[in-house]
Every structure is written in C-alpha cells, then in structure tokens.
Amino acid sequence: MTTNFEFLPRSSRRVHFGWKAPAAFLITGLTFLGIAGWLHVSAGDLEAAYEREVANIEGRAAELASEAMAILPAPGPIQALRDRVIRHNTALIGPRTPWTRIFDALEELLPADAVVARLDRMSSGKPEFPGGALDLKILLVVAQIEAANQFYLKLSGDRRFDEVSFMPRGEMAHQGRTGIGVEVSFRFNAGKTP
Amino acid sequence: MSVIQRLTEWFLAREEPFTLELGSRWIRVGRGRATERPWRLERWGSAPSPRGLLFNSRLATAVFDETALLEAVRAAFGGRLPPQPYVSLILPDQAFHLGTVLLSTVAVRTGALAFIEREIQNVAPLPLREYRIAFEVGVQIGAKSQVHFAALPRGILHELEEFCQRLGIIPLAIQPTFPRLLWLLRQVDRESSPYPSVLLHLGHEATTVAVYSQTGLKRLQCLPFGGCDLDRALATLPDRDPAPVEAFKQNGILLLEDPASEAQNEVEAYRVVEPLFVNLLQKLYAILQAHAAEVPNEGCFRRIILSGGTACLRHLDKLIHANLGIPVVALGTLFEMAGPTGPLGVAEKTQWAPIVGDFLLQPWKLDRLDRLAAA
C-alpha cells in the first residue's frame, strides 16, 4: 500500500509555523538588539572613562613636570658654582685641560660612525698637552664626506669651539676600517655654553 | 514541483503529526514512534463518536452533528487541542467505494480510469464527477492485471476540510483504513508462504475483506456488516445494555468456546445474531471462492487475520475457524506494542491497529523511498 489512496489534494497540504517559531525569532531578535544596545552604551561609557583617565594622567604629568622645574635650581647659581670650583681648582693645582668636558662636547657633535684616529696640540702639532692647553687638532675617519661636512657645520655653530678649521686628508685606513680622513682644528672655550 | 512545494514537503516530512481515526463508534487519536521495538504509542486518547455520525459512500455528504463531533474530537485529545496540530485522518472504509477489478493489462497500460469509473458507476448513486477516485495496479495474472480502487464522494471530502478548519487542525492526509492495516501487516507478517492471507477488518458499520500476500494486495471488498448490526439485533432482547456489543466484548456470553457445539444454540443472544453471522460467513466464503476462481493456484488460504473493534468479540475467531476451516488470529497477537502506561493487550492492539499502521506508513511523507520502492 502506498500513497496512491491519498484523498487530500496535494494543493491543500500546507505548512503551519505555529507560534513557537515566530516567538522564538522575536525573542532572539529582541535579545540580540538588547545586547547590542547594551554593548554600545557600555562601550561609550568605557571610552569616556578612558578619555577622562588620559586627561587626568596628562594633567598630573604636567603638574609633576612643573613641580620638578620648580625643584631644579636656577642656571645662574649653578654656573657661578661651577666657575668657583674651576677657580679654586686652578688656584690649588694650576690650570688643567678639561678633557671630560671637551670629549662630552665632541661626543654631542661627532657623526655616529666617526673614529678619532689621532689627537694633537694645534700649536705644536704633537700629542703634548701642558697644563691648560685648549687648542687641539684631531684626525677623524668618517665613512662619508657628507658626515664630515655636517660635523664641521655643527662645530662652527657651537660657541664652545673657536678658530675651527677643516682639512680633508683623503681616503685612509684605520684599525681595519677605511674611510675619509679629515683633520679638524679648534680651540675649546670652557667658559661658554653651546 | 515548484520550490514552494518542495519546501512545503521538506517541512512536512519532518513533522510528527497526530493520527485521528474518525470511526463511527470510536474516535481515536494517537501519536507513536516506530524507531525501535516494541513500537510505542507516545500519546493516545479516545472518545465515543457522537450518535448519528455516518460515513457512507452512498450519501453525497457525511452525516454528523458538527458541534457534537467537535466536542468528541476535543475529548479524544484529552479535552484540549494542541495549537493547530498536524493530523493524518483515517476514515472508515465504508466512506469509500472500494473494490478490485480485473482488467486487461493492455487496458491498464493505456488508462484504467475509464474502466474503474464504469465499475464505480454500476453501484454509485451520484454522478462520477462527484467522486474523487484513487487506484493502484496490483498483481498481474496472465494477460490481466488487478486494479484496486477507492472512490470518495467529494462532498465528504469538502465537509472534512471545513471541519478541520473549524476545529483548527491541519490535515496532512486523508485515507481509508485498509492501507494502514495492510502496511502494518507488511511489517509484522513477514513469514513467506505460497498462500495468501485474508484481512477481516470488522468495523462498526462495515467489514473490509482484503486478500493479500507478501507480493501485495490481491482482492479488496467492503461488506455491509458491522458492530451496529449486532447492536440492533441484540437491542431486541429485553433488559440489554445500550451498547450490547461492547458489553459482550467485556463479559457477556454470546459465543461459546466451541461455537459448533449444540450448547451454542442455547444462548439466547446468539440466536438473535446468528443470521447476521451466517450472512457474514457466506459472503466471506463467496469472496474467497471468487478469488480462488480468479487465481486458480491460490485456492488455499494461509490464515484469516481479524482487526477492528467488533473483532474483539470473544470467540469470534473460533466461530469463523469452525465454519471456514481456516486458521484465525487477531491482528494484535502479531506485534508488540507499548502505550504510555505500559504494554498493550491483544484487544487494544487489535483496536488501535489502524493508528499503528498510520505512523508506520507515514502517509504525509509522500516521497518516502521505501514506500515508492514497495509500490
């Protein structure tokens, strides 16, 4: 026996979805919308809280910076103290070349790949430095001539260095490195600032 | 098939509808599961049919009090209908013009409908256009083929659709009872035999006789005999219950254990119904003889299987066996079935067999492969 004895017309067969499926769809949709709205509001609140915190931190940082600036002593007394220390040192042990300050100043200006190959006194041309000698001649080895030019420009613009002269020496090798040799002469003025 | 129809069929194939049997004595509702043995009726309910409910193919429409029938269906559902349930409807076989006709195989191939219409017109009181006809080509015998047909008055179909609409149920199938019973027998009666068996479905108003074997249905006929005839006859006895057959099924003495004995004739109630039984047995015998004449190598019958409410009359099987000499068994003895409250008895299984057959057949799944292959 098959469906041959079916008397319900095929066109009369219909699907009824009842109330469960639409209700489930509606509840799911409303739940989704509710969660989406809650997430939206929650994300907005979190963003506002983040911005408030950032503003607080920035304000606090500025406050701390101003407090730190207030704590720092004025540059005038420091310079006066430094000059007094130099004067006292000179009085006790005679004039000395301030190598630390010279090399600190050079390190600020030297190109990154530059190597100091030789250091002489400008007036004698020998590596002899009696007390208080401040005229120096250094032989630099740099990779590019542009770096040497930049160094010369910086050196000329710095008030700590007077009588600056610049003399390229051609290609040379030093300790396994090859580069362009540049002879730079200057007089260091310890009493001035950059 | 359009996309909408395909979607509809896809959704419907996944439904688990209720089965509603609109009998003229009982209205039964059930929903079962046949995925494992024993099969299980998960929900069931029944209620007496309202008086006057009449399905008859000789009438243009069904006769029933709509309000009373609505109440009865609601009662069968347990007083409250689920919201818009899908329902597979079973109608009693007497609502249809049933029969088998032997036609030339050539005629069947060219179109059997004209011959079937001629056959129906011989007995149908209404014009042919008032019937919806369904048929199935059966076994080929020589140069001829059997064609089994059923015709339902369109008036009944229309009334049923309106009734479903008013009740708020969605019909997925409207079929007679016998396809369900034969499908159930196909599942439970797998013993191979060269001889056909006979299904005798004794309803309240009519009896369906179907000769079948494992190869399929061989003969189909509906006899005008049922429990209501016994009721009417027994009602002539003094001091009887209003529903005599039901009472006799429970504890009455109508048929003795040996109905062929002399003592049987001493039972007063039997003497009243004896002409009805004789008439039934004669008609049944005539049908079997006609089948044997049509198919000479099927002159013997393996057994008669009883189903239906009236078949639960005590010792009816012995009466039939004593008169026809063919083994008789109740359909309920052939399978195991569990209800919501536990295993079912033989009588319950015999009465609920159409419902069981329905959820096995699943007539709402029109394109089920196993059924198409069986066809």
Side-chain angles (χ1 to χ4, degrees), chain A residues 1-10 12-17 19, chain B residues 1 9 84 86 132 134 136 170-175 183 364 371 375:
Chain A
M1 285 295 104
T2 66
T3 48
N4 287 337
F5 291 104
E6 177 57 65
F7 284 85
L8 183 72
R10 197 152 183 158
S12 299
R13 289 161 61 86
R14 62 190 174 92
V15 178
H16 169 68
F17 285 100
W19 57 270
Chain B
M1 194 189 290
E9 294 304 327
Q84 294 215 306
Y86 289 105
R132 187 176 171 87
E136 181 178 278
I170 302 168
L172 291 188
I174 298 175
Q175 290 196 5
W183 188 261
W364 55 92
R371 219 166 42 219

Side-chain angles (χ1 to χ4, degrees), chain B residues 169-182:
Chain B
I169 62 179
I170 302 168
L172 291 188
I174 298 175
Q175 290 196 5
T177 306
F178 73 89
R180 270 78 164 191
L181 293 172
L182 289 170

